PDB file of all heavy atoms in Angstrom:
ATOM      1  N   ALA A  70      90.851 107.033  90.961  1.00  0.00           N
ATOM      2  CA  ALA A  70      92.025 107.413  91.746  1.00  0.00           C
ATOM      3  C   ALA A  70      91.689 108.563  92.690  1.00  0.00           C
ATOM      4  O   ALA A  70      90.727 109.303  92.480  1.00  0.00           O
ATOM      5  CB  ALA A  70      93.175 107.811  90.819  1.00  0.00           C
ATOM      6  N   PRO A  71      92.502 108.742  93.735  1.00  0.00           N
ATOM      7  CA  PRO A  71      92.240 109.824  94.706  1.00  0.00           C
ATOM      8  C   PRO A  71      92.179 111.206  94.102  1.00  0.00           C
ATOM      9  O   PRO A  71      91.478 112.068  94.603  1.00  0.00           O
ATOM     10  CB  PRO A  71      93.411 109.702  95.686  1.00  0.00           C
ATOM     11  CG  PRO A  71      93.832 108.279  95.594  1.00  0.00           C
ATOM     12  CD  PRO A  71      93.611 107.892  94.152  1.00  0.00           C
ATOM     13  N   ASP A  72      92.918 111.457  92.997  1.00  0.00           N
ATOM     14  CA  ASP A  72      92.905 112.795  92.416  1.00  0.00           C
ATOM     15  C   ASP A  72      91.841 112.938  91.340  1.00  0.00           C
ATOM     16  O   ASP A  72      91.768 113.942  90.651  1.00  0.00           O
ATOM     17  CB  ASP A  72      94.271 113.147  91.829  1.00  0.00           C
ATOM     18  CG  ASP A  72      94.712 112.162  90.753  1.00  0.00           C
ATOM     19  OD1 ASP A  72      94.046 111.112  90.600  1.00  0.00           O
ATOM     20  OD2 ASP A  72      95.721 112.443  90.081  1.00  0.00           O
ATOM     21  N   SER A  73      90.988 111.907  91.216  1.00  0.00           N
ATOM     22  CA  SER A  73      89.910 111.984  90.245  1.00  0.00           C
ATOM     23  C   SER A  73      88.682 112.595  90.895  1.00  0.00           C
ATOM     24  O   SER A  73      88.475 112.504  92.096  1.00  0.00           O
ATOM     25  CB  SER A  73      89.579 110.580  89.716  1.00  0.00           C
ATOM     26  OG  SER A  73      88.403 110.599  88.933  1.00  0.00           O
ATOM     27  N   SER A  74      87.848 113.227  90.084  1.00  0.00           N
ATOM     28  CA  SER A  74      86.616 113.809  90.617  1.00  0.00           C
ATOM     29  C   SER A  74      85.621 112.734  90.988  1.00  0.00           C
ATOM     30  O   SER A  74      84.652 112.992  91.694  1.00  0.00           O
ATOM     31  CB  SER A  74      85.987 114.744  89.577  1.00  0.00           C
ATOM     32  OG  SER A  74      85.686 114.031  88.384  1.00  0.00           O
ATOM     33  N   ARG A  75      85.832 111.503  90.488  1.00  0.00           N
ATOM     34  CA  ARG A  75      84.941 110.405  90.804  1.00  0.00           C
ATOM     35  C   ARG A  75      85.725 109.365  91.577  1.00  0.00           C
ATOM     36  O   ARG A  75      86.754 108.896  91.133  1.00  0.00           O
ATOM     37  CB  ARG A  75      84.368 109.776  89.534  1.00  0.00           C
ATOM     38  CG  ARG A  75      83.568 110.725  88.682  1.00  0.00           C
ATOM     39  CD  ARG A  75      83.177 110.081  87.376  1.00  0.00           C
ATOM     40  NE  ARG A  75      82.370 108.890  87.599  1.00  0.00           N
ATOM     41  CZ  ARG A  75      82.028 108.047  86.623  1.00  0.00           C
ATOM     42  NH1 ARG A  75      82.465 108.248  85.400  1.00  0.00           N
ATOM     43  NH2 ARG A  75      81.269 106.995  86.878  1.00  0.00           N
ATOM     44  N   GLY A  76      85.243 108.991  92.731  1.00  0.00           N
ATOM     45  CA  GLY A  76      85.888 107.968  93.533  1.00  0.00           C
ATOM     46  C   GLY A  76      84.868 106.984  94.030  1.00  0.00           C
ATOM     47  O   GLY A  76      83.711 107.010  93.620  1.00  0.00           O
ATOM     48  N   ALA A  77      85.289 106.095  94.889  1.00  0.00           N
ATOM     49  CA  ALA A  77      84.366 105.121  95.441  1.00  0.00           C
ATOM     50  C   ALA A  77      83.239 105.829  96.165  1.00  0.00           C
ATOM     51  O   ALA A  77      83.454 106.756  96.918  1.00  0.00           O
ATOM     52  CB  ALA A  77      85.115 104.191  96.401  1.00  0.00           C
ATOM     53  N   GLY A  79      81.230 107.797  94.930  1.00  0.00           N
ATOM     54  CA  GLY A  79      81.087 109.164  94.458  1.00  0.00           C
ATOM     55  C   GLY A  79      82.068 110.118  95.087  1.00  0.00           C
ATOM     56  O   GLY A  79      82.065 111.297  94.788  1.00  0.00           O
ATOM     57  N   GLY A  80      82.938 109.636  95.969  1.00  0.00           N
ATOM     58  CA  GLY A  80      83.896 110.509  96.618  1.00  0.00           C
ATOM     59  C   GLY A  80      85.307 110.040  96.379  1.00  0.00           C
ATOM     60  O   GLY A  80      85.590 109.320  95.439  1.00  0.00           O
ATOM     61  N   VAL A  81      86.202 110.437  97.242  1.00  0.00           N
ATOM     62  CA  VAL A  81      87.618 110.105  97.108  1.00  0.00           C
ATOM     63  C   VAL A  81      87.955 108.954  98.039  1.00  0.00           C
ATOM     64  O   VAL A  81      87.701 109.034  99.238  1.00  0.00           O
ATOM     65  CB  VAL A  81      88.486 111.336  97.454  1.00  0.00           C
ATOM     66  CG1 VAL A  81      89.955 110.962  97.423  1.00  0.00           C
ATOM     67  CG2 VAL A  81      88.211 112.466  96.474  1.00  0.00           C
ATOM     68  N   PRO A  82      88.516 107.852  97.490  1.00  0.00           N
ATOM     69  CA  PRO A  82      88.861 106.738  98.362  1.00  0.00           C
ATOM     70  C   PRO A  82      90.023 107.080  99.273  1.00  0.00           C
ATOM     71  O   PRO A  82      90.892 107.868  98.919  1.00  0.00           O
ATOM     72  CB  PRO A  82      89.261 105.631  97.364  1.00  0.00           C
ATOM     73  CG  PRO A  82      89.669 106.359  96.135  1.00  0.00           C
ATOM     74  CD  PRO A  82      88.822 107.593  96.076  1.00  0.00           C
ATOM     75  N   GLU A  83      90.015 106.496 100.456  1.00  0.00           N
ATOM     76  CA  GLU A  83      91.101 106.700 101.393  1.00  0.00           C
ATOM     77  C   GLU A  83      92.334 105.923 100.936  1.00  0.00           C
ATOM     78  O   GLU A  83      92.218 104.900 100.253  1.00  0.00           O
ATOM     79  CB  GLU A  83      90.687 106.221 102.787  1.00  0.00           C
ATOM     80  CG  GLU A  83      89.511 106.989 103.377  1.00  0.00           C
ATOM     81  CD  GLU A  83      89.842 108.461 103.597  1.00  0.00           C
ATOM     82  OE1 GLU A  83      91.034 108.751 103.836  1.00  0.00           O
ATOM     83  OE2 GLU A  83      88.936 109.299 103.530  1.00  0.00           O
ATOM     84  N   ASP A  86      92.408 102.259 101.250  1.00  0.00           N
ATOM     85  CA  ASP A  86      91.504 101.490 100.410  1.00  0.00           C
ATOM     86  C   ASP A  86      92.123 101.135  99.074  1.00  0.00           C
ATOM     87  O   ASP A  86      91.554 100.356  98.308  1.00  0.00           O
ATOM     88  CB  ASP A  86      90.209 102.275 100.148  1.00  0.00           C
ATOM     89  CG  ASP A  86      89.369 102.394 101.409  1.00  0.00           C
ATOM     90  OD1 ASP A  86      89.430 101.471 102.242  1.00  0.00           O
ATOM     91  OD2 ASP A  86      88.664 103.409 101.560  1.00  0.00           O
TER      92      ASP A  86
END
Side-chain angles (χ1 to χ4, degrees):
D72 59 350
S73 171
S74 60
R75 300 173 60 188
V81 175
E83 297 297 331
D86 291 329

